[in-house]
């Protein structure tokens, strides 16, 4: 136990200060980072991490960590029979002075992903308004052993942290909902106007058909908008973990090419892709990575010009792989390029707006790639073409 009362008062004052700071964090990512930093500091630990609870899938996955390769851990799910799983299911904390003596210790997922070796830990559930938000863990006490006073301090911090996470998620959701409602207005107005026009008897059969086609397109746009919106909202709330397996990118690209080929042929586009047999397979979420590749390829078709070209290249890096998708299309004007990954953003010119889209695809891609510890960038020459490049690390 910590017997020095002055030291304890100092630590509680520190928590108060930290809690005030937590309420000021704007994004979920920076809030989670602030929480793990604070948890490691007040408990005198080498490292700390937060696992968020994915309620629909009933899974826990790493979302932020200090000092142990946060990027390589992000999104990785942990089994329910692990220590963190036990904490979540029982909604009770654990203090483990030596992990190797604890039956619930399932081996170190962190050491596999990041080389970090855990010796001791405290883990506690993060609960706000009776809902499980996640699990906070601190690892490897720097001096002596974890005891009850560490747990008490962490519980005070944990209660504040859980509330702050819930608040931030609510703010984010209401911001996003406001943007969504704004985006819904245009298709809804156009469907409403067409419904009114269709009731007029003087319309020719051809006009009627053309209006009906517009309704069909606008309905499709609404449906794409709602499913992309849901995908992004779940990713932003940290509710989507990664189902990690070996992913063979060449094959995945071939699958995506099959899907886009009919549309590409209609526009007489040439597709160039050399599958790479010797490329190392990477560890990642197959479905999510397919969604990213499909989005980039769909954009390369959509924003291309008739008889244009699409080139996909794959290469091995020291510790990962890089994929790039180039097109010879309309390009992105330099003055708008800093907004490309913002949600709902579409380039504001006629060439773009005459092609349908939601402005959500690239935000989803960025989230997914960053959750894999990777990066997505682009290079574009207005009027000539664009190349999007993804770099993915090989997860352990
Ligand atoms: P959208 O559904 O509008 O295509 P995205 O999020 O996928 O949404 O892309 C956002 C915007 O970025 C697009 O509206 C377009 O203006 C621009 N963009 C994306 N990919 C390309 C590309 N390959 N060539 C030109 N512009 C692109």
């Amino acid at each position: 136990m910590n017997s020095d009362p002055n030291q304890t008062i100092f630590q509680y004052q520190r928590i108060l200060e930290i809690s005030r700071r937590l309420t000021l964090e704007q994004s979920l990512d920076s809030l989670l980072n602030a929480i793990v930093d604070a948890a490691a500091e007040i408990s005198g630990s080498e490292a700390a991490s937060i696992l968020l609870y994915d309620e629909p899938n009933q899974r826990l996955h790493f979302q932020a960590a200090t000092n142990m390769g946060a990027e390589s851990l992000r999104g990785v799910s942990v089994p329910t029979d692990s220590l963190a799983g036990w904490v979540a299911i029982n909604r009770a904390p654990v203090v483990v002075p030596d992990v190797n003596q604890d039956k619930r210790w399932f081996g170190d997922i962190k050491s596999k992903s990041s080389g970090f070796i855990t010796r001791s830990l405290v883990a506690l559930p993060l609960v706000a308004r009776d809902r499980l938000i996640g699990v906070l863990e601190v690892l490897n006490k720097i001096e002596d052993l974890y005891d009850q006073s560490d747990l008490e301090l962490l519980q005070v911090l944990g209660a504040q942290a859980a509330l702050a996470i819930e608040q931030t998620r609510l703010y984010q959701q209401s911001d996003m909902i406001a943007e969504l409602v704004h985006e819904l207005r245009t298709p809804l107005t156009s469907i409403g106007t067409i419904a009114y026009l269709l009731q007029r008897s003087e319309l020719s059969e051809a006009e009627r058909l053309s209006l009906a086609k517009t309704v069909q397109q606008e309905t499709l746009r609404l449906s794409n908008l709602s499913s992309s919106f849901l995908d992004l909202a779940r990713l932003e709330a940290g509710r989507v973990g990664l189902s990690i397996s070996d992913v063979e990118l060449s094959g995945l690209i071939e699958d995506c090419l099959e899907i886009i080929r009919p549309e590409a042929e209609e526009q007489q586009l040439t597709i160039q892709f050399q599958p790479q047999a010797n490329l190392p397979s990477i560890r990642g979420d197959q479905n999510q990575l397919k969604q990213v590749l499909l989005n980039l390829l769909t954009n390369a078709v959509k924003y291309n010009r008739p008889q244009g070209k699409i080139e996909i290249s794959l290469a091995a890096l020291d510790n990962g792989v890089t994929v790039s998708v180039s097109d010879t299309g309309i390009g992105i004007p330099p003055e708008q390029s800093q907004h490309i990954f913002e949600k709902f953003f579409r380039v504001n010119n006629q060439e773009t707006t005459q092609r349908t889209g939601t402005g959500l695809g690239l935000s989803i891609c960025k989230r997914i790639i960053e959750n894999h510890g990777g990066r997505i960038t682009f290079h574009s020459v207005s009027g000539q073409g664009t190349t999007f490049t993804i770099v993915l690390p090989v997860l352990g």
Side-chain angles (χ1 to χ4, degrees):
M1 282 292 268
N2 192 341
S3 50
D4 180 352
N6 286 333
Q7 174 67 7
T8 310
I9 290 170
F10 170 76
Q11 281 168 312
Y12 277 101
Q13 276 172 341
R14 185 78 190 102
I15 291 184
L16 205 66
E17 234 174 83
I18 291 166
S19 304
R20 283 202 199 103
R21 232 187 48 219
L22 293 186
T23 58
L24 300 176
E25 294 294 345
Q26 302 270 325
S27 77
L28 185 61
D29 282 343
S30 54
L31 172 65
L32 296 177
N33 286 328
I35 296 169
V36 286
D37 285 346
E41 179 201 315
I42 63 157
S43 61
S45 301
E46 276 177 21
S49 66
I50 284 188
L51 297 106
L52 288 185
Y53 182 56
D54 169 8
E55 214 170 273
N57 297 316
Q58 303 197 336
R59 282 204 316 218
L60 276 175
H61 51 87
F62 283 100
Q63 199 64 28
T66 59
N67 303 340
M68 52 186 187
E71 284 314 321
S72 60
L73 277 173
R74 220 183 139 113
V76 174
S77 301
V78 300
T80 41
D81 57 356
S82 63
L83 261 170
W86 186 93
V87 169
I89 289 166
N90 294 284
R91 290 202 184 188
V94 287
V95 179
V96 186
D98 178 358
V99 290
N100 296 316
Q101 304 293 321
D102 196 298
K103 280 203 305 288
R104 294 160 298 192
W105 184 243
F106 61 96
D108 212 334
I109 195 164
K110 296 183 220 54
S111 89
K112 280 186 214 117
S113 297
S114 67
F116 186 89
I117 308 285
T118 308
R119 298 186 306 273
S120 56
L121 66 82
V122 177
L124 58 148
L126 296 174
V127 177
R129 279 182 256 279
D130 224 26
R131 270 182 59 197
L132 181 68
I133 306 273
V135 172
L136 176 64
E137 285 183 340
V138 292
L139 309 144
N140 296 356
K141 180 100 175 160
I142 295 168
E143 286 168 17
D144 62 64
L145 296 172
Y146 286 123
D147 61 22
Q148 200 56 30
S149 70
D150 292 310
L151 178 60
E152 280 164 17
L153 282 169
L154 286 166
Q155 279 180 316
V156 177
L157 176 72
Q160 302 293 329
L163 275 176
I165 294 172
E166 232 218 344
Q167 283 281 289
T168 309
R169 280 177 166 174
L170 287 175
Y171 279 136
Q172 275 186 349
Q173 276 170 8
S174 59
D175 271 7
M176 268 190 83
I177 288 168
E179 282 182 88
L180 175 70
V181 169
H182 181 78
E183 293 297 318
L184 291 178
R185 275 204 196 126
T186 319
L188 282 176
T189 311
S190 122
I191 292 171
T193 314
I194 293 173
Y196 169 78
L197 287 175
L198 283 173
Q199 293 171 42
R200 301 176 70 120
S201 54
E202 68 269 28
L203 285 183
S204 70
E205 199 50 34
E207 282 169 331
R208 218 173 271 283
L209 205 63
S210 148
L211 287 173
K213 276 212 175 107
T214 312
V215 171
Q216 200 175 24
Q217 279 163 6
E218 292 295 294
T219 319
L220 187 66
R221 205 169 103 74
L222 282 175
S223 150
N224 288 339
L225 198 61
S226 39
S227 52
S228 299
F229 177 81
L230 273 182
D231 279 354
L232 187 60
R234 293 187 62 223
L235 282 163
E236 292 219 327
R239 286 195 172 189
V240 187
L242 300 176
S243 257
I244 301 280
S245 64
D246 284 337
V247 180
E248 202 263 299
L249 283 171
S250 265
L252 204 57
I253 292 171
E254 300 264 25
D255 291 350
C256 296
L257 288 178
E258 283 315 303
I259 300 172
I260 62 148
R261 214 178 289 280
E263 184 61 37
E265 277 170 7
E266 203 160 297
Q267 286 197 49
Q268 299 173 289
L269 303 177
T270 317
I271 299 178
Q272 272 183 12
F273 172 52
Q274 239 6 287
Q276 300 276 326
N278 297 326
L279 205 74
S281 52
I282 59 151
R283 303 278 297 157
D285 186 307
Q286 168 115 358
N287 289 333
Q288 292 188 25
L289 292 176
K290 185 170 177 185
Q291 187 176 0
V292 172
L293 292 168
L294 200 54
N295 195 85
L296 296 184
L297 288 166
T298 308
N299 282 353
V301 173
K302 186 163 65 171
Y303 299 107
N304 221 316
R305 296 225 166 86
Q307 291 157 11
K309 236 170 65 181
I310 298 177
E311 198 176 333
I312 302 112
S313 50
L314 257 177
L317 299 173
D318 270 356
N319 220 344
V321 279
T322 170
V323 187
S324 63
V325 178
S326 301
D327 64 62
T328 52
I330 62 175
I332 296 166
E335 68 280 6
Q336 302 198 33
S337 62
Q338 83 261 32
H339 303 295
I340 283 298
F341 292 105
E342 289 171 11
K343 34 181 185 279
F344 297 112
F345 179 81
R346 305 199 70 215
V347 167
N348 187 13
N349 62 24
Q350 212 199 340
E351 274 190 304
T352 306
T353 45
Q354 71 197 10
R355 296 153 156 97
T356 58
T358 60
L360 291 175
L362 288 177
S363 314
I364 294 174
C365 292
K366 186 161 190 282
R367 274 278 159 179
I368 292 177
I369 295 300
E370 287 179 354
N371 284 353
H372 278 78
R375 267 193 342 267
I376 177 166
T377 52
F378 71 94
H379 174 75
S380 185
V381 180
S382 195
Q384 287 186 27
T386 307
T387 301
F388 277 88
T389 304
I390 297 170
V391 176
L392 283 165
V394 179
L395 293 183

